[in-house]
Amino acid sequence: MTGPIARAMPKSVLKYASLSAVALIVAYPFYFMVSNSFKDLFEATTVPPTLFPSVFHPENYVKAWEAAPWARYFANTAFVAITTTLGEVVTAVLAAYAFARLEFRGRTVLFGVFLATLMIPSEATLIPNYIMMSKRGLGGFGLGWYDTYQVQIVPFLASVFSIFLLRQFFLSIPRELSDAARIDGAGHLRFLWSIVLPLSVPSLVTVSLFSFIGSWNSLLWPLIMTSVPEYRPVQLGLSAFRQEAGNSYHLLLAAATFTIAPIVLLYLVAQRHLIQGVARSGMKG
Amino acid sequence: MTVQVRAEGPSRRNARRRRRIGEHLWAYGLLAPVIVILGVFKIFPAFYAFYISLFRWDIIQGAFRGLGNYGDILYENPTRAEAFWRSLSTTFTYGLFTVPLEMGLALVVAFLLFGKLRGRGVYRTLYYLPYVTSTVAAAVIFNWLFHPQYGIANAILGLVGVGPQKWYDEPRGLFELAASAAGVALPDWAAGPSLALVGICAFSIWHYFGYQVIIFLAGLGNISNEYYEAARLDGASERQVFRLITLPLLSPTTFFVFTIATIGVLREFNAFYILTNGGPLDTTRTTGLLVFKTFYQQGQLGLGSAVAFLLALAILAFTLTQQRVLASRVTYE
Protein backbone atom coordinates (compact mmCIF):
# COMPACT_ATOMS: atom_id res chain seq x y z
CA MET A 1 0.00 0.00 0.00
CA THR A 2 2.79 2.43 -0.71
CA GLY A 3 1.98 3.37 -4.28
CA PRO A 4 1.14 7.02 -4.92
CA ILE A 5 -2.48 6.17 -5.68
CA ALA A 6 -2.95 4.22 -2.50
CA ARG A 7 -1.39 7.03 -0.51
CA ALA A 8 -3.60 9.65 -2.07
CA MET A 9 -6.74 7.67 -1.31
CA PRO A 10 -8.23 7.92 2.12
CA LYS A 11 -8.02 4.66 3.96
CA SER A 12 -11.74 4.19 4.19
CA VAL A 13 -12.08 4.20 0.41
CA LEU A 14 -9.66 1.32 0.18
CA LYS A 15 -11.56 -0.46 2.91
CA TYR A 16 -14.89 -0.08 1.16
CA ALA A 17 -13.40 -1.06 -2.16
CA SER A 18 -12.01 -4.33 -0.81
CA LEU A 19 -15.13 -5.17 1.16
CA SER A 20 -17.32 -4.46 -1.84
CA ALA A 21 -15.13 -6.53 -4.12
CA VAL A 22 -15.55 -9.50 -1.79
CA ALA A 23 -19.27 -8.77 -1.51
CA LEU A 24 -19.55 -8.77 -5.28
CA ILE A 25 -17.92 -12.19 -5.56
CA VAL A 26 -20.13 -13.55 -2.79
CA ALA A 27 -23.31 -12.15 -4.29
CA TYR A 28 -22.62 -12.87 -7.95
CA PRO A 29 -23.64 -16.56 -7.93
CA PHE A 30 -27.00 -15.60 -6.40
CA TYR A 31 -27.51 -12.83 -8.89
CA PHE A 32 -26.50 -15.13 -11.71
CA MET A 33 -28.98 -17.76 -10.55
CA VAL A 34 -31.95 -15.38 -10.38
CA SER A 35 -31.17 -13.49 -13.54
CA ASN A 36 -30.57 -16.62 -15.63
CA SER A 37 -33.69 -18.25 -14.28
CA PHE A 38 -35.70 -15.64 -16.21
CA LYS A 39 -33.88 -16.07 -19.53
CA ASP A 40 -34.69 -18.42 -22.35
CA LEU A 41 -32.31 -21.29 -22.89
CA PHE A 42 -30.50 -19.58 -25.73
CA GLU A 43 -29.76 -16.47 -23.74
CA ALA A 44 -28.92 -18.46 -20.62
CA THR A 45 -26.13 -20.19 -22.52
CA THR A 46 -24.65 -17.04 -24.04
CA VAL A 47 -21.02 -16.35 -23.22
CA PRO A 48 -20.28 -14.01 -21.59
CA PRO A 49 -23.62 -14.01 -19.76
CA THR A 50 -25.88 -11.02 -20.21
CA LEU A 51 -26.43 -9.05 -17.05
CA PHE A 52 -30.21 -8.79 -17.44
CA PRO A 53 -32.59 -11.04 -19.34
CA SER A 54 -33.39 -9.25 -22.57
CA VAL A 55 -36.89 -10.73 -22.42
CA PHE A 56 -38.32 -11.86 -19.10
CA HIS A 57 -39.58 -15.43 -19.01
CA PRO A 58 -41.39 -15.89 -15.71
CA GLU A 59 -43.04 -18.98 -17.22
CA ASN A 60 -39.73 -20.78 -16.60
CA TYR A 61 -40.84 -21.06 -13.00
CA VAL A 62 -44.14 -22.63 -13.99
CA LYS A 63 -42.37 -25.09 -16.27
CA ALA A 64 -39.82 -26.02 -13.63
CA TRP A 65 -42.52 -26.38 -10.99
CA GLU A 66 -44.58 -28.67 -13.19
CA ALA A 67 -41.64 -30.83 -14.19
CA ALA A 68 -41.32 -32.53 -10.78
CA PRO A 69 -43.53 -33.18 -7.72
CA TRP A 70 -42.29 -30.03 -5.99
CA ALA A 71 -45.42 -29.50 -3.93
CA ARG A 72 -44.88 -32.88 -2.33
CA TYR A 73 -41.16 -32.26 -1.82
CA PHE A 74 -41.87 -28.93 -0.16
CA ALA A 75 -44.61 -30.37 2.03
CA ASN A 76 -42.26 -33.18 3.11
CA THR A 77 -39.41 -30.82 3.92
CA ALA A 78 -41.64 -28.34 5.72
CA PHE A 79 -43.23 -31.06 7.83
CA VAL A 80 -39.91 -32.67 8.71
CA ALA A 81 -38.15 -29.38 9.42
CA ILE A 82 -40.93 -27.95 11.57
CA THR A 83 -41.47 -31.12 13.58
CA THR A 84 -37.76 -31.64 14.09
CA THR A 85 -37.28 -28.06 15.18
CA LEU A 86 -40.14 -28.08 17.67
CA GLY A 87 -39.16 -31.41 19.14
CA GLU A 88 -35.50 -30.60 19.31
CA VAL A 89 -36.10 -27.30 21.06
CA VAL A 90 -38.33 -28.96 23.67
CA THR A 91 -35.80 -31.70 24.50
CA ALA A 92 -32.98 -29.16 24.50
CA VAL A 93 -34.80 -26.83 26.90
CA LEU A 94 -35.47 -29.67 29.33
CA ALA A 95 -31.92 -30.97 29.19
CA ALA A 96 -30.34 -27.54 29.37
CA TYR A 97 -32.47 -26.72 32.39
CA ALA A 98 -31.35 -29.89 34.14
CA PHE A 99 -27.70 -29.14 33.41
CA ALA A 100 -27.91 -25.50 34.39
CA ARG A 101 -30.24 -25.59 37.37
CA LEU A 102 -30.31 -28.98 39.02
CA GLU A 103 -27.69 -30.64 41.16
CA PHE A 104 -27.36 -34.32 40.54
CA ARG A 105 -24.73 -36.99 40.56
CA GLY A 106 -23.13 -37.55 37.17
CA ARG A 107 -23.88 -34.09 35.88
CA THR A 108 -20.33 -33.25 34.80
CA VAL A 109 -19.68 -36.70 33.35
CA LEU A 110 -22.92 -36.72 31.41
CA PHE A 111 -22.30 -33.25 30.02
CA GLY A 112 -18.83 -34.38 29.01
CA VAL A 113 -20.27 -37.42 27.24
CA PHE A 114 -22.72 -35.19 25.41
CA LEU A 115 -19.95 -32.91 24.23
CA ALA A 116 -17.87 -35.92 23.22
CA THR A 117 -20.63 -37.07 20.87
CA LEU A 118 -19.88 -33.96 18.83
CA MET A 119 -16.55 -35.57 17.98
CA ILE A 120 -18.18 -38.64 16.44
CA PRO A 121 -18.29 -38.00 12.71
CA SER A 122 -21.63 -38.81 11.16
CA GLU A 123 -19.92 -41.02 8.54
CA ALA A 124 -19.01 -43.43 11.33
CA THR A 125 -22.56 -43.77 12.58
CA LEU A 126 -24.23 -43.77 9.20
CA ILE A 127 -23.83 -47.46 8.41
CA PRO A 128 -25.07 -48.78 11.78
CA ASN A 129 -28.04 -46.42 11.54
CA TYR A 130 -28.67 -47.64 8.03
CA ILE A 131 -28.83 -51.20 9.34
CA MET A 132 -30.95 -50.24 12.34
CA MET A 133 -33.50 -48.49 10.17
CA SER A 134 -33.98 -51.52 7.93
CA LYS A 135 -36.66 -54.12 8.65
CA ARG A 136 -34.19 -56.86 9.39
CA GLY A 137 -32.10 -54.59 11.57
CA LEU A 138 -29.58 -56.14 13.89
CA GLY A 139 -30.41 -59.48 15.36
CA GLY A 140 -34.02 -59.12 14.26
CA PHE A 141 -34.54 -55.73 15.93
CA GLY A 142 -35.05 -53.42 13.02
CA LEU A 143 -37.08 -50.26 13.07
CA GLY A 144 -38.23 -50.69 9.47
CA TRP A 145 -38.16 -46.94 8.99
CA TYR A 146 -36.96 -46.62 5.40
CA ASP A 147 -39.21 -44.27 3.46
CA THR A 148 -40.94 -42.69 6.42
CA TYR A 149 -41.04 -39.29 8.05
CA GLN A 150 -39.89 -40.49 11.42
CA VAL A 151 -36.56 -41.65 10.03
CA GLN A 152 -35.91 -38.03 9.11
CA ILE A 153 -37.17 -36.63 12.40
CA VAL A 154 -36.59 -38.84 15.44
CA PRO A 155 -32.78 -39.22 15.30
CA PHE A 156 -32.49 -35.43 15.19
CA LEU A 157 -34.62 -34.71 18.23
CA ALA A 158 -31.52 -34.24 20.38
CA SER A 159 -29.00 -31.56 19.55
CA VAL A 160 -25.97 -31.17 21.77
CA PHE A 161 -25.25 -27.82 20.19
CA SER A 162 -28.68 -26.48 21.19
CA ILE A 163 -28.36 -27.89 24.69
CA PHE A 164 -24.96 -26.25 25.04
CA LEU A 165 -26.19 -22.87 23.84
CA LEU A 166 -29.32 -22.89 26.01
CA ARG A 167 -27.43 -24.07 29.05
CA GLN A 168 -25.06 -21.12 28.68
CA PHE A 169 -28.03 -18.81 28.71
CA PHE A 170 -29.86 -20.50 31.58
CA LEU A 171 -26.72 -20.25 33.69
CA SER A 172 -26.82 -16.50 33.31
CA ILE A 173 -30.29 -16.24 34.87
CA PRO A 174 -29.78 -15.06 38.45
CA ARG A 175 -30.19 -17.66 41.19
CA GLU A 176 -32.38 -15.31 43.19
CA LEU A 177 -35.16 -15.79 40.67
CA SER A 178 -35.36 -19.52 41.22
CA ASP A 179 -35.09 -19.10 44.98
CA ALA A 180 -37.96 -16.63 44.91
CA ALA A 181 -40.00 -18.96 42.73
CA ARG A 182 -39.40 -21.85 45.08
CA ILE A 183 -40.48 -19.82 48.06
CA ASP A 184 -43.67 -19.00 46.18
CA GLY A 185 -44.18 -22.74 45.85
CA ALA A 186 -43.46 -23.03 42.10
CA GLY A 187 -42.02 -26.35 40.95
CA HIS A 188 -39.39 -26.83 38.28
CA LEU A 189 -41.74 -26.96 35.33
CA ARG A 190 -43.68 -23.96 36.52
CA PHE A 191 -40.48 -21.96 37.01
CA LEU A 192 -39.14 -23.09 33.64
CA TRP A 193 -42.36 -22.23 31.86
CA SER A 194 -43.24 -18.89 33.40
CA ILE A 195 -39.85 -17.38 34.18
CA VAL A 196 -36.98 -19.03 32.32
CA LEU A 197 -38.61 -19.41 28.91
CA PRO A 198 -39.94 -15.86 28.58
CA LEU A 199 -36.46 -14.61 29.42
CA SER A 200 -34.80 -16.84 26.84
CA VAL A 201 -36.84 -16.03 23.76
CA PRO A 202 -33.84 -14.73 21.76
CA SER A 203 -31.82 -17.88 22.53
CA LEU A 204 -34.80 -20.07 21.65
CA VAL A 205 -35.16 -18.28 18.33
CA THR A 206 -31.48 -18.79 17.57
CA VAL A 207 -31.58 -22.47 18.39
CA SER A 208 -34.75 -23.01 16.37
CA LEU A 209 -33.27 -21.27 13.35
CA PHE A 210 -30.18 -23.44 13.39
CA SER A 211 -32.27 -26.55 13.71
CA PHE A 212 -34.68 -25.53 10.98
CA ILE A 213 -32.00 -24.56 8.48
CA GLY A 214 -30.01 -27.69 9.24
CA SER A 215 -33.06 -29.86 8.67
CA TRP A 216 -34.07 -28.02 5.51
CA ASN A 217 -30.62 -28.42 3.97
CA SER A 218 -29.88 -32.01 4.99
CA LEU A 219 -28.85 -34.25 2.13
CA LEU A 220 -26.91 -37.40 2.94
CA TRP A 221 -29.26 -38.83 5.55
CA PRO A 222 -32.49 -38.61 3.50
CA LEU A 223 -30.56 -39.76 0.45
CA ILE A 224 -29.78 -43.03 2.18
CA MET A 225 -32.92 -43.51 4.22
CA THR A 226 -35.54 -42.66 1.60
CA SER A 227 -36.02 -43.66 -2.00
CA VAL A 228 -39.43 -42.44 -3.13
CA PRO A 229 -40.63 -38.88 -3.85
CA GLU A 230 -43.49 -39.38 -1.36
CA TYR A 231 -41.02 -39.00 1.49
CA ARG A 232 -38.06 -37.29 -0.10
CA PRO A 233 -37.18 -33.69 0.76
CA VAL A 234 -36.63 -30.71 -1.49
CA GLN A 235 -32.85 -31.10 -1.62
CA LEU A 236 -33.13 -34.56 -3.11
CA GLY A 237 -35.83 -33.27 -5.40
CA LEU A 238 -33.44 -30.67 -6.73
CA SER A 239 -30.68 -33.23 -7.00
CA ALA A 240 -32.94 -35.52 -9.03
CA PHE A 241 -34.24 -32.65 -11.13
CA ARG A 242 -30.65 -31.78 -12.00
CA GLN A 243 -30.30 -35.14 -13.69
CA GLU A 244 -33.71 -35.01 -15.35
CA ALA A 245 -33.45 -31.44 -16.55
CA GLY A 246 -30.38 -32.32 -18.58
CA ASN A 247 -29.31 -29.16 -20.30
CA SER A 248 -32.37 -27.05 -19.44
CA TYR A 249 -30.23 -24.91 -17.22
CA HIS A 250 -32.65 -22.02 -17.11
CA LEU A 251 -35.29 -24.31 -15.59
CA LEU A 252 -32.76 -25.83 -13.25
CA LEU A 253 -31.77 -22.39 -11.99
CA ALA A 254 -35.44 -21.49 -11.54
CA ALA A 255 -35.85 -24.62 -9.41
CA ALA A 256 -32.71 -23.78 -7.44
CA THR A 257 -34.14 -20.32 -6.83
CA PHE A 258 -37.40 -21.53 -5.40
CA THR A 259 -35.77 -24.18 -3.24
CA ILE A 260 -33.50 -21.70 -1.50
CA ALA A 261 -36.01 -18.83 -1.40
CA PRO A 262 -37.70 -19.88 1.88
CA ILE A 263 -34.38 -20.17 3.70
CA VAL A 264 -33.03 -16.91 2.31
CA LEU A 265 -36.21 -15.08 3.32
CA LEU A 266 -36.12 -16.60 6.77
CA TYR A 267 -32.47 -15.66 7.06
CA LEU A 268 -33.04 -12.06 5.99
CA VAL A 269 -35.85 -11.66 8.51
CA ALA A 270 -34.05 -13.30 11.40
CA GLN A 271 -30.38 -12.85 10.55
CA ARG A 272 -29.64 -10.86 13.70
CA HIS A 273 -30.53 -13.81 15.94
CA LEU A 274 -28.63 -16.23 13.78
CA ILE A 275 -25.46 -14.19 13.62
CA GLN A 276 -25.53 -13.50 17.35
CA GLY A 277 -25.92 -17.20 17.97
CA VAL A 278 -22.94 -18.04 15.78
CA ALA A 279 -20.88 -15.37 17.48
CA ARG A 280 -21.80 -16.71 20.90
CA SER A 281 -21.05 -20.31 19.98
CA GLY A 282 -17.53 -19.20 19.10
CA MET A 283 -16.94 -17.92 22.61
CA LYS A 284 -16.23 -20.77 24.89
CA GLY A 285 -17.82 -20.07 28.24
CA MET B 1 -29.18 -20.05 61.31
CA THR B 2 -26.44 -21.96 63.08
CA VAL B 3 -28.81 -22.81 65.89
CA GLN B 4 -31.27 -24.30 63.44
CA VAL B 5 -28.66 -26.45 61.73
CA ARG B 6 -27.45 -27.81 65.03
CA ALA B 7 -30.97 -28.58 66.06
CA GLU B 8 -31.58 -30.52 62.85
CA GLY B 9 -33.37 -33.70 63.79
CA PRO B 10 -33.78 -36.99 61.90
CA SER B 11 -37.03 -35.92 60.29
CA ARG B 12 -35.43 -32.82 58.86
CA ARG B 13 -32.49 -34.84 57.52
CA ASN B 14 -34.99 -37.20 55.91
CA ALA B 15 -36.78 -34.30 54.32
CA ARG B 16 -33.52 -33.08 52.84
CA ARG B 17 -32.69 -36.53 51.56
CA ARG B 18 -36.08 -36.81 50.02
CA ARG B 19 -35.54 -33.50 48.32
CA ARG B 20 -32.18 -34.65 46.95
CA ILE B 21 -33.73 -37.82 45.57
CA GLY B 22 -36.49 -35.73 44.11
CA GLU B 23 -33.93 -33.50 42.42
CA HIS B 24 -32.25 -36.55 40.88
CA LEU B 25 -35.56 -37.84 39.59
CA TRP B 26 -36.28 -34.48 38.06
CA ALA B 27 -32.86 -34.19 36.47
CA TYR B 28 -32.85 -37.60 34.87
CA GLY B 29 -36.48 -37.26 33.90
CA LEU B 30 -35.72 -34.03 32.05
CA LEU B 31 -32.65 -35.54 30.45
CA ALA B 32 -34.31 -38.83 29.50
CA PRO B 33 -35.41 -37.91 25.96
CA VAL B 34 -31.98 -36.63 25.02
CA ILE B 35 -30.14 -39.54 26.63
CA VAL B 36 -32.31 -42.05 24.79
CA ILE B 37 -31.95 -40.39 21.40
CA LEU B 38 -28.22 -39.75 21.63
CA GLY B 39 -27.72 -43.21 23.03
CA VAL B 40 -29.68 -45.01 20.34
CA PHE B 41 -28.75 -42.99 17.26
CA LYS B 42 -25.28 -41.69 18.08
CA ILE B 43 -23.39 -43.42 20.89
CA PHE B 44 -24.49 -47.01 20.34
CA PRO B 45 -23.93 -46.79 16.56
CA ALA B 46 -20.41 -45.49 17.13
CA PHE B 47 -19.52 -48.74 18.89
CA TYR B 48 -21.62 -50.82 16.60
CA ALA B 49 -19.73 -49.41 13.60
CA PHE B 50 -16.60 -51.01 14.96
CA TYR B 51 -18.40 -54.31 15.39
CA ILE B 52 -19.62 -54.25 11.79
CA SER B 53 -16.12 -53.44 10.58
CA LEU B 54 -14.92 -56.79 11.95
CA PHE B 55 -17.15 -58.81 9.64
CA ARG B 56 -17.59 -59.56 6.02
CA TRP B 57 -20.90 -57.79 5.64
CA ASP B 58 -22.32 -57.61 2.13
CA ILE B 59 -25.82 -56.31 2.80
CA ILE B 60 -26.18 -59.12 5.36
CA GLN B 61 -23.80 -60.14 8.09
CA GLY B 62 -21.21 -62.69 7.00
CA ALA B 63 -18.12 -64.32 8.44
CA PHE B 64 -16.06 -62.80 11.21
CA ARG B 65 -12.85 -61.40 9.77
CA GLY B 66 -11.17 -59.85 12.78
CA LEU B 67 -9.11 -56.97 11.53
CA GLY B 68 -9.16 -58.37 8.03
CA ASN B 69 -11.14 -55.47 6.59
CA TYR B 70 -8.62 -53.04 8.03
CA GLY B 71 -5.79 -55.09 6.54
CA ASP B 72 -7.44 -55.00 3.14
CA ILE B 73 -7.89 -51.28 3.24
CA LEU B 74 -4.48 -50.40 4.59
CA TYR B 75 -2.21 -52.65 2.52
CA GLU B 76 -3.42 -56.13 1.62
CA ASN B 77 -5.90 -55.54 -1.17
CA PRO B 78 -4.09 -53.38 -3.73
CA THR B 79 -7.23 -51.79 -5.21
CA ARG B 80 -8.80 -51.00 -1.84
CA ALA B 81 -5.56 -49.82 -0.27
CA GLU B 82 -4.78 -47.59 -3.24
CA ALA B 83 -8.28 -46.10 -3.09
CA PHE B 84 -8.05 -45.52 0.66
CA TRP B 85 -4.65 -43.83 0.73
CA ARG B 86 -5.51 -41.81 -2.29
CA SER B 87 -8.76 -40.65 -0.71
CA LEU B 88 -6.90 -39.63 2.43
CA SER B 89 -4.39 -37.67 0.41
CA THR B 90 -7.22 -36.02 -1.56
CA THR B 91 -8.96 -35.08 1.67
CA PHE B 92 -5.82 -33.52 3.12
CA THR B 93 -4.96 -31.74 -0.11
CA TYR B 94 -8.45 -30.32 -0.15
CA GLY B 95 -7.96 -29.11 3.43
CA LEU B 96 -4.53 -27.71 2.69
CA PHE B 97 -5.86 -25.61 -0.16
CA THR B 98 -9.10 -24.59 1.52
CA VAL B 99 -8.49 -23.88 5.20
CA PRO B 100 -5.61 -21.36 4.98
CA LEU B 101 -7.19 -19.37 2.15
CA GLU B 102 -10.60 -19.41 3.80
CA MET B 103 -9.24 -18.34 7.18
CA GLY B 104 -6.94 -15.71 5.71
CA LEU B 105 -9.79 -14.18 3.75
CA ALA B 106 -12.13 -14.33 6.73
CA LEU B 107 -9.57 -12.72 9.01
CA VAL B 108 -8.84 -9.85 6.63
CA VAL B 109 -12.53 -9.26 5.97
CA ALA B 110 -13.38 -9.38 9.67
CA PHE B 111 -10.56 -6.97 10.40
CA LEU B 112 -11.80 -4.54 7.75
CA LEU B 113 -15.37 -4.87 8.97
CA PHE B 114 -14.48 -4.33 12.59
CA GLY B 115 -14.99 -0.93 14.10
CA LYS B 116 -17.17 1.91 12.98
CA LEU B 117 -18.23 1.37 9.42
CA ARG B 118 -21.29 2.39 7.51
CA GLY B 119 -23.12 -0.57 6.05
CA ARG B 120 -21.33 -3.04 8.27
CA GLY B 121 -24.54 -4.97 8.87
CA VAL B 122 -25.24 -5.25 5.16
CA TYR B 123 -21.80 -6.66 4.41
CA ARG B 124 -22.03 -9.10 7.30
CA THR B 125 -25.46 -10.32 6.23
CA LEU B 126 -24.26 -10.83 2.69
CA TYR B 127 -21.06 -12.68 3.60
CA TYR B 128 -22.97 -15.12 5.75
CA LEU B 129 -25.64 -15.77 3.14
CA PRO B 130 -23.85 -18.61 1.27
CA TYR B 131 -23.50 -20.50 4.53
CA VAL B 132 -27.27 -20.82 4.97
CA THR B 133 -27.99 -21.79 1.38
CA SER B 134 -28.18 -25.49 0.70
CA THR B 135 -25.17 -27.14 -0.88
CA VAL B 136 -27.31 -28.67 -3.59
CA ALA B 137 -28.67 -25.36 -4.86
CA ALA B 138 -25.32 -23.63 -4.49
CA ALA B 139 -23.58 -26.46 -6.33
CA VAL B 140 -26.08 -26.23 -9.17
CA ILE B 141 -25.04 -22.60 -9.59
CA PHE B 142 -21.31 -23.36 -9.37
CA ASN B 143 -21.58 -26.14 -11.90
CA TRP B 144 -22.88 -23.54 -14.24
CA LEU B 145 -20.36 -20.81 -13.37
CA PHE B 146 -17.57 -23.30 -14.05
CA HIS B 147 -19.23 -24.90 -17.06
CA PRO B 148 -16.63 -25.95 -19.68
CA GLN B 149 -18.57 -24.24 -22.47
CA TYR B 150 -20.83 -21.61 -21.00
CA GLY B 151 -19.24 -20.78 -17.65
CA ILE B 152 -18.22 -17.30 -16.68
CA ALA B 153 -15.00 -18.68 -15.15
CA ASN B 154 -13.72 -19.50 -18.62
CA ALA B 155 -14.90 -16.13 -19.92
CA ILE B 156 -12.77 -14.45 -17.25
CA LEU B 157 -9.79 -16.68 -18.01
CA GLY B 158 -10.21 -15.73 -21.65
CA LEU B 159 -9.79 -12.07 -20.73
CA VAL B 160 -6.32 -12.77 -19.37
CA GLY B 161 -5.47 -14.96 -22.31
CA VAL B 162 -5.87 -18.39 -20.76
CA GLY B 163 -7.73 -21.01 -22.75
CA PRO B 164 -11.02 -22.58 -21.57
CA GLN B 165 -10.82 -25.23 -18.86
CA LYS B 166 -13.01 -28.23 -18.06
CA TRP B 167 -13.08 -27.46 -14.32
CA TYR B 168 -15.24 -30.05 -12.59
CA ASP B 169 -14.52 -32.51 -15.43
CA GLU B 170 -10.77 -31.95 -15.46
CA PRO B 171 -8.70 -34.71 -13.79
CA ARG B 172 -5.35 -33.13 -14.63
CA GLY B 173 -3.48 -31.32 -11.89
CA LEU B 174 -3.38 -27.57 -11.40
CA PHE B 175 0.42 -27.31 -11.60
CA GLU B 176 0.55 -29.81 -14.44
CA LEU B 177 -1.83 -27.63 -16.47
CA ALA B 178 0.04 -24.45 -15.64
CA ALA B 179 3.37 -26.03 -16.53
CA SER B 180 2.16 -27.57 -19.76
CA ALA B 181 0.79 -24.18 -20.80
CA ALA B 182 4.33 -22.90 -20.32
CA GLY B 183 5.64 -25.86 -22.28
CA VAL B 184 7.11 -27.74 -19.33
CA ALA B 185 6.21 -31.35 -18.50
CA LEU B 186 5.97 -32.04 -14.78
CA PRO B 187 6.47 -35.41 -13.09
CA ASP B 188 3.29 -37.01 -11.75
CA TRP B 189 3.95 -36.26 -8.12
CA ALA B 190 4.15 -32.55 -8.83
CA ALA B 191 0.90 -32.41 -10.79
CA GLY B 192 -0.95 -30.85 -7.86
CA PRO B 193 -4.67 -31.16 -7.08
CA SER B 194 -6.89 -31.82 -10.07
CA LEU B 195 -8.63 -28.77 -11.45
CA ALA B 196 -11.89 -30.38 -10.35
CA LEU B 197 -10.64 -30.39 -6.77
CA VAL B 198 -9.51 -26.77 -7.10
CA GLY B 199 -13.05 -25.94 -8.22
CA ILE B 200 -14.44 -27.61 -5.12
CA CYS B 201 -11.99 -25.66 -2.96
CA ALA B 202 -13.29 -22.44 -4.51
CA PHE B 203 -16.84 -23.54 -3.80
CA SER B 204 -16.02 -24.37 -0.17
CA ILE B 205 -14.30 -21.08 0.46
CA TRP B 206 -17.27 -19.22 -0.94
CA HIS B 207 -19.66 -21.35 1.09
CA TYR B 208 -17.97 -21.25 4.47
CA PHE B 209 -15.86 -18.13 4.88
CA GLY B 210 -18.80 -16.00 6.08
CA TYR B 211 -19.23 -18.23 9.10
CA GLN B 212 -15.62 -17.60 10.02
CA VAL B 213 -16.00 -13.85 9.51
CA ILE B 214 -18.75 -13.81 12.15
CA ILE B 215 -16.63 -15.71 14.65
CA PHE B 216 -13.58 -13.57 14.00
CA LEU B 217 -15.71 -10.45 14.47
CA ALA B 218 -16.91 -11.75 17.82
CA GLY B 219 -13.31 -12.50 18.78
CA LEU B 220 -12.17 -9.01 17.82
CA GLY B 221 -14.98 -7.56 19.87
CA ASN B 222 -13.74 -9.49 22.88
CA ILE B 223 -10.35 -7.83 22.95
CA SER B 224 -10.43 -5.13 25.56
CA ASN B 225 -9.92 -1.60 24.31
CA GLU B 226 -7.36 -0.93 27.05
CA TYR B 227 -4.69 -2.83 25.15
CA TYR B 228 -5.17 -0.70 22.09
CA GLU B 229 -5.14 2.51 24.09
CA ALA B 230 -2.00 1.54 25.94
CA ALA B 231 -0.26 0.61 22.69
CA ARG B 232 -1.22 3.89 21.04
CA LEU B 233 -0.01 5.83 24.06
CA ASP B 234 3.32 4.09 23.61
CA GLY B 235 3.33 5.32 20.04
CA ALA B 236 2.90 1.95 18.32
CA SER B 237 2.16 2.09 14.61
CA GLU B 238 -1.00 0.54 13.27
CA ARG B 239 0.92 -2.38 11.84
CA GLN B 240 2.62 -2.98 15.17
CA VAL B 241 -0.71 -2.88 16.96
CA PHE B 242 -2.05 -5.51 14.60
CA ARG B 243 0.98 -7.76 14.87
CA LEU B 244 1.67 -7.39 18.60
CA ILE B 245 -1.80 -6.96 20.05
CA THR B 246 -4.60 -8.01 17.75
CA LEU B 247 -3.10 -11.22 16.39
CA PRO B 248 -1.88 -12.67 19.71
CA LEU B 249 -5.04 -11.76 21.59
CA LEU B 250 -7.16 -13.13 18.79
CA SER B 251 -5.33 -16.44 18.88
CA PRO B 252 -7.95 -18.33 20.94
CA THR B 253 -10.53 -17.43 18.29
CA THR B 254 -8.17 -18.30 15.47
CA PHE B 255 -7.54 -21.63 17.13
CA PHE B 256 -11.25 -22.29 17.46
CA VAL B 257 -11.90 -21.40 13.84
CA PHE B 258 -9.01 -23.56 12.71
CA THR B 259 -10.35 -26.55 14.64
CA ILE B 260 -13.88 -26.13 13.31
CA ALA B 261 -12.60 -25.58 9.77
CA THR B 262 -10.35 -28.64 9.69
CA ILE B 263 -13.00 -30.91 11.14
CA GLY B 264 -15.44 -29.49 8.60
CA VAL B 265 -13.03 -30.09 5.75
CA LEU B 266 -12.31 -33.66 6.81
CA ARG B 267 -16.02 -34.38 6.93
CA GLU B 268 -17.26 -32.48 3.89
CA PHE B 269 -19.53 -34.67 1.85
CA ASN B 270 -22.29 -32.64 0.21
CA ALA B 271 -20.17 -30.42 -2.01
CA PHE B 272 -18.25 -33.38 -3.41
CA TYR B 273 -21.30 -35.52 -3.85
CA ILE B 274 -23.12 -32.87 -5.84
CA LEU B 275 -20.28 -31.28 -7.78
CA THR B 276 -18.27 -34.30 -8.89
CA ASN B 277 -19.37 -37.41 -6.96
CA GLY B 278 -15.72 -38.42 -6.71
CA GLY B 279 -14.82 -37.99 -10.35
CA PRO B 280 -13.20 -37.21 -12.72
CA LEU B 281 -10.97 -40.29 -12.55
CA ASP B 282 -11.45 -40.43 -8.77
CA THR B 283 -9.42 -37.26 -8.28
CA THR B 284 -12.00 -35.80 -5.91
CA ARG B 285 -12.91 -38.96 -4.02
CA THR B 286 -12.34 -37.95 -0.40
CA THR B 287 -12.49 -40.49 2.39
CA GLY B 288 -16.04 -39.43 3.22
CA LEU B 289 -17.05 -40.19 -0.34
CA LEU B 290 -15.16 -43.46 -0.29
CA VAL B 291 -17.21 -44.53 2.73
CA PHE B 292 -20.36 -43.69 0.81
CA LYS B 293 -19.23 -45.52 -2.30
CA THR B 294 -18.06 -48.62 -0.46
CA PHE B 295 -21.12 -48.99 1.66
CA TYR B 296 -23.95 -47.55 -0.38
CA GLN B 297 -22.95 -48.07 -4.00
CA GLN B 298 -20.98 -51.31 -3.59
CA GLY B 299 -23.01 -52.70 -0.68
CA GLN B 300 -19.89 -53.52 1.34
CA LEU B 301 -21.01 -52.59 4.83
CA GLY B 302 -18.11 -54.19 6.68
CA LEU B 303 -15.45 -52.59 4.54
CA GLY B 304 -17.34 -49.29 4.53
CA SER B 305 -17.49 -49.29 8.32
CA ALA B 306 -13.79 -49.95 8.50
CA VAL B 307 -13.07 -46.99 6.24
CA ALA B 308 -15.46 -44.84 8.29
CA PHE B 309 -13.79 -45.93 11.48
CA LEU B 310 -10.35 -45.07 10.11
CA LEU B 311 -11.66 -41.68 9.04
CA ALA B 312 -13.04 -41.09 12.53
CA LEU B 313 -9.65 -42.04 13.98
CA ALA B 314 -7.88 -39.70 11.58
CA ILE B 315 -10.16 -36.84 12.59
CA LEU B 316 -9.66 -37.61 16.26
CA ALA B 317 -5.89 -37.90 15.94
CA PHE B 318 -5.69 -34.72 13.95
CA THR B 319 -7.83 -32.78 16.43
CA LEU B 320 -5.85 -33.99 19.42
CA THR B 321 -2.47 -33.25 17.83
CA GLN B 322 -3.70 -29.87 16.86
CA GLN B 323 -4.85 -29.18 20.40
CA ARG B 324 -1.44 -30.24 21.71
CA VAL B 325 0.69 -28.34 19.26
CA LEU B 326 -1.34 -25.21 18.85
CA ALA B 327 -2.85 -24.81 22.30
CA SER B 328 0.58 -24.03 23.69
CA ARG B 329 0.90 -21.13 21.27
CA VAL B 330 -2.43 -19.58 22.06
CA THR B 331 -2.29 -16.43 24.13
CA TYR B 332 -5.11 -16.00 26.58
CA GLU B 333 -5.79 -12.60 28.05
Side-chain angles (χ1 to χ4, degrees), chain A residues 16 19, chain B residues 113 116-127:
Chain A
Y16 276 110
L19 286 174
Chain B
L113 264 186
K116 281 202 189 86
L117 185 83
R118 250 162 195 270
R120 184 178 160 203
V122 178
Y123 284 119
R124 209 178 48 174
T125 306
L126 190 64
Y127 295 152

Side-chain angles (χ1 to χ4, degrees), chain A residues 118-129 220-221, chain B residues 42 267 308:
Chain A
L118 289 175
M119 300 273 282
I120 307 174
S122 49
E123 286 85 6
T125 54
L126 200 63
I127 299 173
N129 271 306
L220 179 55
W221 185 272
Chain B
K42 194 92 200 178
R267 297 179 50 180

